Amino acid sequence: MTENSQQPPAAPTSDLPTQYAPADVEGPLYERWVERGYFAADAKSDKPAYTIVIPPPNVTGSLHLGHAFQHTLMDALTRRKRMQGYESLWLPGMDHAGIATQNKVEQQLAEEGKSRQDLGREEFVERVWQWKEEYGGKILGQMRRLGDGVDWDRERFTMDEGLSQAVQTIFKRLFDDELIYRAERIINWCPRCLTAISDIEVEYQEDDGELVSITYGEGEETLVVATTRAETMLGDTAVAVHPDDERYRHLVGKHIKLPLTNRTIPVVADTHVDPEFGTGAVKVTPAHDPNDFAIGRRHGLESITVMDERAVITVHGPFQGLDRFEARSAIVAALRSQGRIVTEKRPYVHSVGHCSRCRTTVEPRLSMQWWVKVAPLAQAAGDAVRDGRVSIHPAEMSKRYFDWVDNMHDWCISRQLWWGHRIPVWYGPEGEVVCVGPDEEPPGTEAEGWKQDTDVLDTWFSSGLWPFSTLGWPERTPDLEKFYPTDVLLTGHDIIFFWVARMMMFGLYAMDGEAPFKTIALTGLVRDERGKKMSKSFGNVVDPLDWMDKYGSDAVRFTLARGANPGTDVPIGEDWVQASRNFANKIWNATRFALMNGATVEGELPPAEALSATDRWILSRLNETVAEVDAFYEDFQFAKLSDALYHFAWDEVFDWYVELSKTTFMAGGEPAKVSGRVLGEVLDVTLRLLHPIVPFVTDTLWTTLTGGESVVVAEWPRDSGFRDTAAEREIEALQSVITEVRRFRADQGLQPGQRVPARLTLDGTALAPHEAAIRQLLRLQPEGESFAATATLPVGGATVALDLSGTIDVAAERKRLAKDLAAAEKEKAQANAKLGNEAFLAKAPDQVVDKIRTRLAKADEDIARIQEQLTRLPAA
């Protein structure tokens, strides 16, 4: 009843162990998948292509829950497409991670008492390559543990030969198109990493600082300015006020004395100044603040750099040689001794930028750097989404994307590092500047006065080329022709700015307006079970490998997928992984039971008229589930598809269909054979539906059930359109009877296995054919000669009369229920009294009132439930 169901010869069932042991299965099974080439994509194939390139993890990295989360979803997408008949490519690789990797090797050298300067550039870079070979790529091995179905033959590295050629090619093209230029601007400088970093590599946090107000000038010509960075006043070249500020109009154009120095500085009028903020006068330090730099440009002010690359003061004798923070205290003390400090506020909490790599406070610094002119590139990146060539999912995330690309500043791409793609520009003895392409020779030798730029490119420059450079660009390779553009970029919403926008700009530029992907699917971030960000400082970071060791990779994957709502953060706790492990065990045990009771895929599925209502019901629900799962996949609703599969497999197949079929299997004969074939069909399709999320346990069970080669290369199920609403209504009625009687038994304190005499009145209902199943599942004995109906349950048109006379102490049960009823009524009265007290309601916080309303609702529910139980009890 489902299309394209697998029907190879049935396999023996004796080789399934009684318990599922992930550690024994996962490693060998994954290597078998790789050896058989299941994940290798063929550019010459006639199949339609489906491509995802992995967001390249840092070569310094190891698998964390965020990786495991996104990798699970990408793996599910590519596994499903492979089963659907696509030439499915999931391309792996790593990023050279310039600053992070250089820091690792410099730390290693420091332990040897050396620095990179001791080695020199060439030897240091060679040392980094050695480190990469020895320690880098740890995460790639961990990806195998997770079950990543990537094409290992296509693994790339952002510093490999092909990608290096791509970097040099696009730099040359951008340079020739005047989209790359060199200029002196204010940049974010890390005094620890000793390099410029881009705006998106600066993380802001609230720090305790100080706000001091300082008197500038002498006599009547004075101004008060406030600053949190007193040390930068040594580089002030003006004070700025608003042109319309009457308080300072008489000073505009005049020069006043700059304290602690022998300089005078002008007072300038600039509309950037907010007259309502502070005193309405601001110090202007063009070399150490981006806003001041802009003011300085407008007014032709000098830019004085007062710190070196390590943020050590380089001017004005008394403070020269002090670290910036030491200088801050010393300068405030000196100003205080001169009576120039008007106010001091400590602590003053304000937002301070920190290097995202090493957490050092970033210093704005005037520096000559290389820049990308982003305006035309960003315009193209925005247009590609606006005109529908690229869709962002969920759609509400588009606003964040547009906020970034529509307001993007020029991108500083040079880094003062040795590890990375060196900028392909040479400077000549006469001031020449020559950009060299990958197939061109440098314009001259060092002996002739030619020198290559010493900087390297921002890591995001090379990773921005990832969707096409990994496929062979700038050559028009078969891979590029087949697999570009990629289908989906699945990544966290936190790197829209870092990576997504860069790839869009470069892809559209390099590939003649063809965007690098058709869909941007944005996920949330993984958090702990309380929704808190995972951080080493919080002590809540989880190593997914620990959970894999303990519960199996399938359990970790299913937990992550089940929490994956588009664009929404994912809380995860160990209890949830345990529950997913239980689900894997349930799949195992139920399949094993089914195999021992005749489940098979051998032979054609019988026609609908030869099936029982139970068989037709489960096949109808199976096809509905196939349709639901497909729709959820197309909408990237991983949580919903995982939940649908969980409830179908556990609740409907294992808890209902298998249980309802037990009587049929026990009776034997042709009905048992038919149900065995139906159960085999249902398991076959269910395991294939589950496979992309939980690949290991499903492949083991599917090959045992079907005798097929591997579920990895099995065909994805298709909805045949078979529905039987009558059978669904019939089984829903049956479920209602069984559920209601089970609830009643539990309320009366009966043990699950305790047998009770019962009379079933089913004639004239759709439940008549199910009497044997009802009695089996509810542990109901035939009524016998001495039967006395002490409790009667009318359910769904049927009647179930029970004789409880020999099973419970009715008097004791009535006494217990009466006590519970009195407690519930007392709770209701107390809640009503508080909610009826106007004085209480006027003073109580909303959350307290809501809590009392909740207590009242709960008390009403308890009263109704207990009264119903009392009415159903036999007379004492």
Side-chain angles (χ1 to χ4, degrees):
M1 298 295 171
T2 58
E3 291 187 11
N4 301 305
S5 46
Q6 304 292 307
Q7 296 177 4
T13 62
S14 60
D15 56 345
L16 275 183
T18 55
Q19 290 185 325
Y20 178 52
D24 296 339
V25 170
E26 293 175 351
L29 184 54
Y30 184 84
E31 293 309 316
R32 188 154 64 248
W33 291 337
V34 174
E35 288 166 7
R36 291 178 176 177
Y38 291 157
F39 308 136
D42 183 2
K44 298 178 182 178
S45 167
D46 293 332
K47 297 178 183 178
Y50 184 83
T51 315
I52 294 180
V53 292
I54 204 166
N58 286 353
V59 69
T60 59
S62 59
L63 190 72
H64 56 65
L65 272 177
H67 289 127
F69 171 54
Q70 292 179 358
H71 286 206
T72 293
L73 306 187
M74 285 184 278
D75 195 30
L77 291 173
T78 50
R79 282 178 183 268
R80 172 175 173 262
K81 285 296 183 180
R82 187 178 293 112
M83 295 172 75
Q84 286 183 314
Y86 286 78
E87 197 61 39
S88 188
L89 170 61
W90 186 19
L91 192 147
M94 293 183 297
D95 192 287
H96 66 279
I99 296 175
T101 308
Q102 179 156 321
N103 282 347
K104 287 280 188 184
V105 178
E106 288 197 77
Q107 290 168 12
Q108 195 178 63
L109 287 173
E111 293 172 3
E112 301 171 13
K114 298 177 183 177
S115 70
R116 60 175 163 138
Q117 285 75 20
D118 293 331
L119 272 65
R121 183 168 193 143
E122 288 189 13
E123 190 176 340
F124 176 79
V125 170
E126 178 59 34
R127 180 71 175 259
V128 181
W129 277 107
Q130 292 172 9
W131 182 93
K132 186 257 181 187
E133 292 304 314
E134 188 171 355
Y135 300 104
K138 177 181 178 182
I139 193 171
L140 298 178
Q142 295 168 338
M143 285 163 56
R144 302 172 91 94
R145 282 287 314 276
L146 188 64
D148 284 6
V150 296
D151 186 344
W152 291 110
D153 292 338
R154 283 184 168 83
E155 181 190 335
R156 303 304 300 268
F157 179 53
T158 51
M159 289 276 287
D160 68 29
E161 185 177 350
L163 270 65
S164 295
Q165 183 182 32
V167 168
Q168 198 171 349
T169 298
I170 202 162
F171 187 99
K172 171 71 171 172
R173 291 187 187 179
L174 290 164
F175 182 90
D176 290 346
D177 288 344
E178 298 183 351
L179 293 174
I180 282 183
Y181 64 95
R182 193 169 183 243
E184 191 174 46
R185 299 269 183 87
I186 291 286
I187 47 89
N188 305 296
W189 182 265
C190 177
R192 159 64 183 80
C193 298
L194 299 180
T195 183
I197 58 176
S198 66
D199 291 344
I200 53 178
E201 293 170 299
V202 178
E203 293 182 356
Y204 288 89
Q205 65 185 46
E206 298 295 310
D207 284 359
D208 287 344
E210 60 181 349
L211 179 68
V212 294
S213 297
I214 308 165
T215 301
Y216 279 30
E218 300 288 354
E220 295 183 0
E221 296 183 349
T222 61
L223 289 163
V224 176
V225 301
T227 182
T228 58
R229 301 167 67 219
E231 68 279 8
T232 64
M233 68 167 292
L234 301 176
D236 286 359
T237 55
V239 172
V241 298
H242 194 276
D244 300 330
D245 196 330
E246 294 290 342
R247 294 171 294 177
Y248 305 119
R249 184 167 288 176
H250 66 289
L251 292 176
V252 174
K254 293 186 177 181
H255 283 67
I256 60 174
K257 185 176 180 181
L258 178 65
L260 304 182
T261 71
N262 295 318
R263 293 190 291 116
T264 60
I265 57 176
V267 178
V268 300
D270 196 281
T271 55
H272 171 76
V273 179
D274 180 1
E276 302 299 322
F277 182 77
T279 65
V282 297
K283 59 191 287 299
V284 181
T285 321
H288 291 280
D289 182 274
N291 293 322
D292 294 1
F293 178 78
I295 293 174
R297 283 289 179 91
R298 287 195 288 272
H299 297 278
L301 301 176
E302 183 183 3
S303 295
I304 301 175
T305 300
V306 299
M307 294 181 219
D308 67 11
E309 60 182 11
R310 298 183 185 276
V312 172
I313 302 298
T314 57
V315 298
H316 200 70
F319 311 109
Q320 195 166 356
L322 294 180
D323 170 79
R324 54 183 165 164
F325 301 121
E326 296 172 335
R328 181 177 301 172
S329 299
I331 286 170
V332 171
L335 291 167
R336 192 184 301 115
S337 69
Q338 293 183 6
R340 290 187 173 274
I341 299 294
V342 179
T343 60
E344 297 180 66
K345 186 176 180 181
R346 294 191 188 90
Y348 177 73
V349 179
H350 61 135
S351 182
V352 178
H354 296 261
C355 174
S356 62
R357 301 300 198 289
C358 69
R359 314 305 308 157
T360 300
T361 300
V362 167
E363 190 64 42
R365 187 170 189 253
L366 186 63
S367 180
M368 182 69 75
Q369 301 286 344
W370 285 96
W371 304 80
V372 172
K373 187 185 296 182
V374 300
L377 303 173
Q379 175 72 43
D383 290 346
V385 175
R386 287 188 175 94
D387 65 24
R389 280 175 287 159
V390 178
S391 62
I392 293 180
H393 190 90
E396 57 267 24
M397 285 285 180
S398 298
K399 184 180 184 301
R400 295 187 67 184
Y401 176 79
F402 291 131
D403 285 347
W404 179 251
V405 297
D406 292 346
N407 300 284
M408 195 182 296
H409 300 297
D410 283 1
W411 171 21
C412 177
I413 55 171
S414 46
R415 298 291 180 267
Q416 289 63 57
L417 304 171
W418 287 355
W419 172 245
H421 294 282
R422 194 166 174 181
I423 289 175
V425 171
W426 270 255
Y427 306 106
E430 304 301 325
E432 302 95 330
V433 178
V434 178
C435 180
V436 176
D439 300 321
E440 300 172 348
E441 292 294 325
T445 66
E446 195 164 321
E448 295 168 336
W450 287 88
K451 291 186 178 180
Q452 186 178 358
D453 196 301
T454 57
D455 289 351
V456 300
L457 288 163
D458 178 11
T459 293
W460 297 102
F461 190 95
S462 52
S463 60
L465 315 182
W466 190 252
F468 52 94
S469 64
T470 52
L471 297 172
W473 187 89
E475 301 298 323
R476 296 298 300 192
T477 63
D479 277 359
L480 193 65
E481 295 286 351
K482 178 75 174 179
F483 298 112
Y484 188 91
T486 67
D487 287 84
V488 178
L489 170 69
L490 190 143
T491 191
H493 62 65
D494 56 323
I495 62 169
I496 290 178
F497 323 119
F498 284 94
W499 194 44
V500 178
R502 311 293 196 217
M503 288 189 290
M504 284 288 283
M505 292 192 302
F506 282 164
L508 289 160
Y509 174 80
M511 298 299 294
D512 301 321
E514 194 170 21
F517 17 76
K518 300 164 189 171
T519 301
I520 301 169
L522 297 170
T523 71
L525 309 179
V526 178
R527 297 182 177 272
D528 73 11
E529 56 197 304
R530 295 178 181 85
K532 193 174 183 180
K533 180 181 178 181
M534 287 193 175
S535 165
K536 290 181 181 178
S537 60
F538 296 153
N540 62 350
V541 173
V542 173
D543 184 345
L545 295 172
D546 292 340
W547 281 352
M548 288 184 213
D549 289 341
K550 200 170 181 181
Y551 304 111
S553 297
D554 284 334
V556 174
R557 290 171 61 114
F558 192 73
T559 305
L560 292 165
R562 205 172 178 193
N565 291 298
T568 304
D569 289 349
V570 183
I572 184 172
E574 188 167 1
D575 288 350
W576 304 334
V577 185
Q578 290 176 356
S580 295
R581 184 270 315 275
N582 295 344
F583 180 50
N585 288 342
K586 182 76 170 181
I587 299 169
W588 182 273
N589 293 333
T591 304
R592 188 170 178 274
F593 169 85
L595 288 168
M596 291 189 297
N597 284 273
T600 181
V601 296
E602 189 173 7
E604 292 293 328
L605 195 65
E609 56 270 19
L611 302 176
S612 68
T614 308
D615 293 334
R616 297 195 307 277
W617 161 73
I618 196 62
L619 290 172
S620 182
R621 289 295 305 125
L622 176 66
N623 278 283
E624 181 63 33
T625 302
V626 171
E628 283 183 358
V629 168
D630 277 334
F632 288 142
Y633 261 115
E634 295 306 313
D635 201 32
F636 303 99
Q637 297 281 0
F638 295 98
K640 290 182 179 179
L641 73 89
S642 299
D643 215 45
L645 285 169
Y646 175 88
H647 288 295
F648 175 72
W650 191 308
D651 299 344
E652 297 186 274
V653 179
F654 304 144
D655 277 359
W656 281 110
Y657 182 73
V658 169
E659 290 299 314
L660 289 170
S661 300
K662 280 183 178 178
T663 52
T664 304
F665 288 136
M666 289 168 62
E670 188 59 28
K673 291 181 181 178
V674 170
S675 290
R677 179 65 189 90
V678 170
L679 181 53
E681 179 78 8
V682 172
L683 288 174
D684 167 25
V685 173
T686 302
L687 291 171
R688 283 187 278 146
L689 289 173
L690 281 165
H691 172 72
I693 304 291
V694 284
F696 294 105
V697 67
T698 53
D699 194 41
T700 305
L701 293 174
W702 186 87
T703 52
T704 303
L705 169 70
T706 69
E709 179 185 344
S710 172
V711 73
V712 177
V713 290
E715 195 164 352
W716 182 254
R718 283 187 283 182
D719 174 17
S720 69
F722 174 77
R723 301 289 190 279
D724 192 324
T725 54
E728 290 194 36
R729 286 196 299 269
E730 181 175 327
I731 301 306
E732 284 169 7
L734 175 60
Q735 290 171 326
S736 295
V737 170
I738 293 170
T739 300
E740 187 63 24
V741 176
R742 280 176 172 169
R743 184 182 297 119
F744 176 76
R745 287 176 57 110
D747 288 344
Q748 307 311 314
L750 296 177
Q751 296 299 314
Q754 191 172 353
R755 294 195 169 274
V756 179
R759 177 186 298 140
L760 304 184
T761 306
L762 307 175
D763 293 344
T765 74
L767 299 175
H770 302 287
E771 179 169 351
I774 293 172
R775 287 190 177 278
Q776 171 68 23
L777 293 175
L778 292 174
R779 304 295 189 268
L780 302 180
Q781 297 176 183
E783 52 193 272
E785 293 182 4
S786 59
F787 179 81
T790 57
T792 302
L793 307 176
V795 187
T799 302
V800 180
L802 303 174
D803 182 354
L804 304 179
S805 56
T807 57
I808 61 172
D809 184 335
V810 175
E813 185 64 14
R814 282 190 174 278
K815 184 176 180 180
R816 182 184 71 80
L817 290 172
K819 183 179 178 182
D820 290 346
L821 181 61
E825 289 173 337
K826 181 179 179 182
E827 175 75 3
K828 178 178 180 178
Q830 290 175 341
N832 273 327
K834 287 187 176 181
L835 293 174
N837 185 334
E838 294 296 334
F840 169 78
L841 293 176
K843 294 179 181 179
D846 289 345
Q847 61 266 32
V848 172
V849 176
D850 289 343
K851 189 173 182 180
I852 294 170
R853 289 193 178 113
T854 302
R855 284 169 50 194
L856 176 60
K858 175 69 165 55
D860 281 334
E861 290 176 8
D862 289 344
I863 290 168
R865 176 179 53 80
I866 296 167
Q867 288 175 338
E868 175 70 14
Q869 289 177 246
L870 282 167
T871 61
R872 288 180 169 181
L873 275 176

